[in-house]
């Protein structure tokens, strides 16, 4: 299974660092179109930094050199694939590894490089995916409750009130993930606030400073990061101990992992991955979806009609989530337009091929998903927000290939799709969304694409 999860340039750098450590090599002529190294020691790293992000660097790289292009990190060749056609040639749909999980665990100090039994990794991955399924089944009522609370809050505002969308939906996502992953102790706002504080400290520092070593050069920053990570781990250990000693009616993600054959260390690691990544993916999917809808009243009305057709006056159930076809199209178009998952990567385990080029074993291969998601040869009017494009089976298959839909979508994104469907169908029943005049929201491309600054909206009540 191909799990196209998201990571920023810093993840990419850590992976390359691991590659350089595990597979030292001298520079050689690549045979691929692309850039020559800017500096002997750092390769094209200065170019990536000057572009602002790995995604923006790859956009320019593929515009100049085509769908298969190369660049250098230090003495290591990197090959980037930037079109649907070359990805089809390279992707193995039967893969079970998750590069995002391996990268994040490495950065957190949970593992130092690619290792472990493949069969054991597959079983562990299945337990993780099943845990998310069970968590959704047991906590869908909680998700609806939190969505209702947000609706009530927004309905209490006057029509002219500017609503900080990022702030509110990050809070919604943090409450959802913390309670669904770790249980009722996070009904306490103090616990949620502390979780958010530590989450932000860890997430904002992951990889930051590895470009220039600034984290190691700043004892204060490094100490804050280590303390926040230690507090998150301590919190998870307390939750695991409490739930092992005392039964609860609420089944949460940690319970699913603890009921399997995983060690305590493995439960801690996988719970941390879900809490860290799940919160940010869910928050930004919801944020971008609502933000895009503010500019399209006709799309809001179409979604409203679908909600009435499926539900009538009844509340949504988990079983009905799959019936919201147009809502799903909105969310998939949100992922595509926002380039929510801009970059993925993997180490070439055996010799492979892309276009007419042979990719040697142990080459780092980048999947430039942000480039592919805006490719005019794959998408008609790629910069237009158009959920109806996913009414066609061919476009659905393209997203499935990229791991953004279907059987190959990453577990955290699957969780986010369900939460976002519950939220949107709840919001649109009561409210209309409107943009704030003159606001231009730019994108920040990190582990997950997010607004650079706060995105403001207004709402009005439906009759």
């Amino acid at each position: 299974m191909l799990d196209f999860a998201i990571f920023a340039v810093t993840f990419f750098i850590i992976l390359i660092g691991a590659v350089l450590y595990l597979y030292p090599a001298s520079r050689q002529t690549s045979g691929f179109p692309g850039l020559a190294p800017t500096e002997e020691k750092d390769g094209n790293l200065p170019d990536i930094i000057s572009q602002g992000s790995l995604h923006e660097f790859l956009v320019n790289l593929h515009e100049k050199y085509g769908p298969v292009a190369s660049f250098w990190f230090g003495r290591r060749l990197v090959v980037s694939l930037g079109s649907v056609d070359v990805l089809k040639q390279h992707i193995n749909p039967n893969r079970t590894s998750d590069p995002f999980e391996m990268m994040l665990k490495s950065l957190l100090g949970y593992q130092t490089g690619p290792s472990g039994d493949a069969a054991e990794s597959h079983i562990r991955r299945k337990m993780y995916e099943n845990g998310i399924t069970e968590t959704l089944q047991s906590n869908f009522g909680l998700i609806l409750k939190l969505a209702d609370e947000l609706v009530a809050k927004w309905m209490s505002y006057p029509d002219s009130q500017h609503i900080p969308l990022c702030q509110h939906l990050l809070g919604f996502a943090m409450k959802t993930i913390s309670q669904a992953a770790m249980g009722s102790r996070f009904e306490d706002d103090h616990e949620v606030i502390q979780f958010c504080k530590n989450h932000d400290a860890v997430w904002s520092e992951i990889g930051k400073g590895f470009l220039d070593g600034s984290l190691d050069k700043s004892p204060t920053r490094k100490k804050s990061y280590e303390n926040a990570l230690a507090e998150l781990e301590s919190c998870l250990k307390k939750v695991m101990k409490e739930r092992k000693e005392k039964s609860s009616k609420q089944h949460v993600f940690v319970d699913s992992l603890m009921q399997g054959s995983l060690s305590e260390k493995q439960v801690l690691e996988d719970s941390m991955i879900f809490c860290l990544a799940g919160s940010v993916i869910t928050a930004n999917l919801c944020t971008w979806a609502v933000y895009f809808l503010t500019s399209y009243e006709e799309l809001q009305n179409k979604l409203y009609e679908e909600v009435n057709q499926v539900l009538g006056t009844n509340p949504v159930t988990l079983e009905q989530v799959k019936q919201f076809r147009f809502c799903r199209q909105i969310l998939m178009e949100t992922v595509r337009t926002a380039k929510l998952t801009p970059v993925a990567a993997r180490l070439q385990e055996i010799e492979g091929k892309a276009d007419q080029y042979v990719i040697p074993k142990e080459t780092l291969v980048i999947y430039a998903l942000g480039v592919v998601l805006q490719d005019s040869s794959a998408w008609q009017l790629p910069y237009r927000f158009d959920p109806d494009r996913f009414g066609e089976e061919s476009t659905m298959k393209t997203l499935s290939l990229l791991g953004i839909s279907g059987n190959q979508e990453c577990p955290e994104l699957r969780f986010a799709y369900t939460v976002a469907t519950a939220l949107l169908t709840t919001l649109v029943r009561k409210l209309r969304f409107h943009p704030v005049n003159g606001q231009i929201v730019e994108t920040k491309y990190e582990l997950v694409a997010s607004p650079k600054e706060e995105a403001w909206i207004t709402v009005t009540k439906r009759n």
Side-chain angles (χ1 to χ4, degrees), residues 142-185:
L142 165 67
I143 296 169
L144 291 181
K145 173 179 173 290
L146 294 173
D148 285 336
E149 290 176 359
L150 184 64
V151 169
K153 184 175 184 177
W154 286 7
M155 289 185 71
S156 70
Y157 294 151
D159 292 351
S160 59
Q161 176 73 49
H162 287 193
I163 297 172
L165 190 60
C166 301
Q167 177 186 325
H168 283 197
L169 293 187
L170 179 61
F172 167 77
M174 288 290 184
K175 287 182 180 180
T176 300
I177 291 288
S178 60
Q179 293 184 43
M182 295 178 284
S184 58
R185 71 178 290 163

Side-chain angles (χ1 to χ4, degrees), residues 35-140:
L35 293 173
T38 302
E39 294 184 3
E40 177 67 23
K41 180 181 178 181
D42 295 329
N44 297 113
L45 180 56
D47 303 309
I48 297 172
I49 295 174
S50 68
Q51 297 283 338
S53 71
L54 178 58
H55 164 70
E56 290 159 304
F57 168 80
L58 293 175
V59 169
N60 292 324
L61 182 74
H62 286 288
E63 281 181 356
K64 186 172 183 179
Y65 295 104
V68 180
S70 66
F71 60 98
W72 295 87
F73 185 89
R75 297 183 181 274
R76 175 58 56 177
L77 172 69
V78 183
V79 175
S80 179
L81 307 181
S83 77
V84 171
D85 288 339
V86 294
L87 285 177
K88 283 180 180 177
Q89 297 171 30
H90 188 264
I91 287 169
N92 177 2
N94 298 315
R95 283 192 63 98
T96 58
S97 63
D98 182 351
F100 174 69
E101 178 184 335
M102 291 180 63
M103 289 300 302
L104 190 49
K105 286 181 178 178
S106 178
L107 288 171
L108 294 170
Y110 294 156
Q111 64 182 42
T112 57
S115 62
D117 180 76
E120 180 182 341
S121 297
H122 178 70
I123 293 172
R124 183 173 178 183
R125 192 66 196 159
K126 278 296 179 185
M127 291 183 65
Y128 187 92
E129 293 172 350
N130 291 338
I132 287 180
T133 299
E134 292 169 356
T135 300
L136 286 170
Q137 291 170 344
S138 302
N139 293 276
F140 193 72

